[in-house]
């Protein structure tokens, strides 16, 4: 995939930081914290020297749907930052106590007020510089009803030859839509990441 095409010129993609900064231990309130590699572990972790708690930092999961209706793709225009005013595949962070599919359907409703029938998993895309994993399902509308919700400025269906490539919000959007257009009948999962696209300067 062409990295320049897949990224956007107003986003900085930098090498991922080793750990997010933590000023206090969330267990006991102690400060400062330390980085230590425990015996038997394979990397340093944030450690509280007062209570002994290890603060693990792991990737966040984003779940959503690539919605297909009558051969067109449903996208929502973001009404909030980041990437306000750009088009996005409906998706967002999972909540506790829900499955990937439940999270995807919830995010679709919250962003574009649509009800969907989720089909197979379509895309798993790793966003390495912010430690996120996108899981996007193919889905179809149960009824052709949708509208902009609180965080969305506009919702519309795009033909495969009408995709607003220059105004897509995130490179995970570009990847998933590109893969769908290449082979709409593909039944497997497309795996990708942005490792080759990260840079210390604006692309």
């Amino acid at each position: 995939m062409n990295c320049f095409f897949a990224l956007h010129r107003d986003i900085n993609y930098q090498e991922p930081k080793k750990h997010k900064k933590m000023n206090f231990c969330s267990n006991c309130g102690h400060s400062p914290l330390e980085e230590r590699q425990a015996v038997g572990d394979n990397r340093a972790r944030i450690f509280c020297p007062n209570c002994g708690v290890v603060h693990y930092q792991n990737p966040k999961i984003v779940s959503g749907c690539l919605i297909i209706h009558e051969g067109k793709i449903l996208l929502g225009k973001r009404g909030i930052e980041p990437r306000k005013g750009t088009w996005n595949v409906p998706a967002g962070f999972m909540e506790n106590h829900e499955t990937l599919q439940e999270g995807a359907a919830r995010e679709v409703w919250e962003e574009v007020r649509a009800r969907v029938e989720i089909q197979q998993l379509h895309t798993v895309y790793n966003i390495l510089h912010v430690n996120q994993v996108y899981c996007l399902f193919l889905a179809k509308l149960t009824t052709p009803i949708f509208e902009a919700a609180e965080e969305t400025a506009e919702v519309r269906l795009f033909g495969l030859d009408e995709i607003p490539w220059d105004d897509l919000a995130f490179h995970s959007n570009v990847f998933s839509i590109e893969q769908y257009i290449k082979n709409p009948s593909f039944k497997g999962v497309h795996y990708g990441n942005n490792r080759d696209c990260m840079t210390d300067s604006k692309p």
Side-chain angles (χ1 to χ4, degrees), residues 38-193:
V39 175
D41 205 342
N42 59 7
R43 67 197 65 202
R45 315 267 186 193
I46 297 176
F47 172 81
C48 178
N50 183 60
C51 68
V53 165
V54 178
H55 295 277
Y56 293 91
Q57 295 188 346
N58 304 104
K60 297 287 188 180
I61 299 175
V62 176
S63 184
C65 292
L66 184 62
I67 303 167
I68 311 299
H69 180 69
E70 296 181 347
K72 296 184 177 182
I73 294 176
L74 187 70
L75 299 175
K77 181 179 284 188
R78 293 181 62 81
I80 58 170
E81 298 294 350
R83 305 291 292 147
K84 182 178 180 179
T86 57
W87 293 93
N88 189 35
V89 174
F93 292 109
M94 286 187 66
E95 300 288 357
N96 291 335
H97 311 299
E98 68 180 5
T99 66
L100 271 175
Q101 292 91 334
E102 289 168 347
R106 174 184 53 76
E107 286 291 339
V108 168
W109 175 254
E110 290 180 359
E111 294 188 6
V112 298
R113 289 293 186 262
R115 298 297 187 187
V116 293
E117 178 184 324
I118 291 179
Q119 300 170 317
Q120 81 262 19
L121 183 62
H122 179 265
T123 301
V124 175
Y125 197 88
N126 295 272
I127 312 292
L128 298 170
H129 69 290
V130 290
N131 301 312
Q132 296 174 8
V133 181
Y134 275 66
C135 298
L136 301 177
F137 293 88
L138 281 182
K140 62 181 182 180
L141 295 173
T142 56
T143 57
I145 298 173
F146 50 85
E147 63 181 19
E150 289 81 1
E151 298 181 352
T152 306
E154 183 182 351
V155 183
R156 61 167 287 196
L157 289 163
F158 290 90
L160 302 187
D161 58 350
E162 301 172 330
I163 303 299
W165 296 109
D166 291 338
D167 292 317
L168 290 179
F170 306 110
H171 51 300
S172 55
N173 294 177
V174 176
F175 179 81
S176 62
I177 295 173
E178 277 189 330
Q179 300 308 312
Y180 178 78
I181 290 175
K182 286 178 184 177
N183 188 356
S185 61
F186 181 66
K187 299 302 183 184
V189 180
H190 299 284
Y191 295 94
N193 66 75

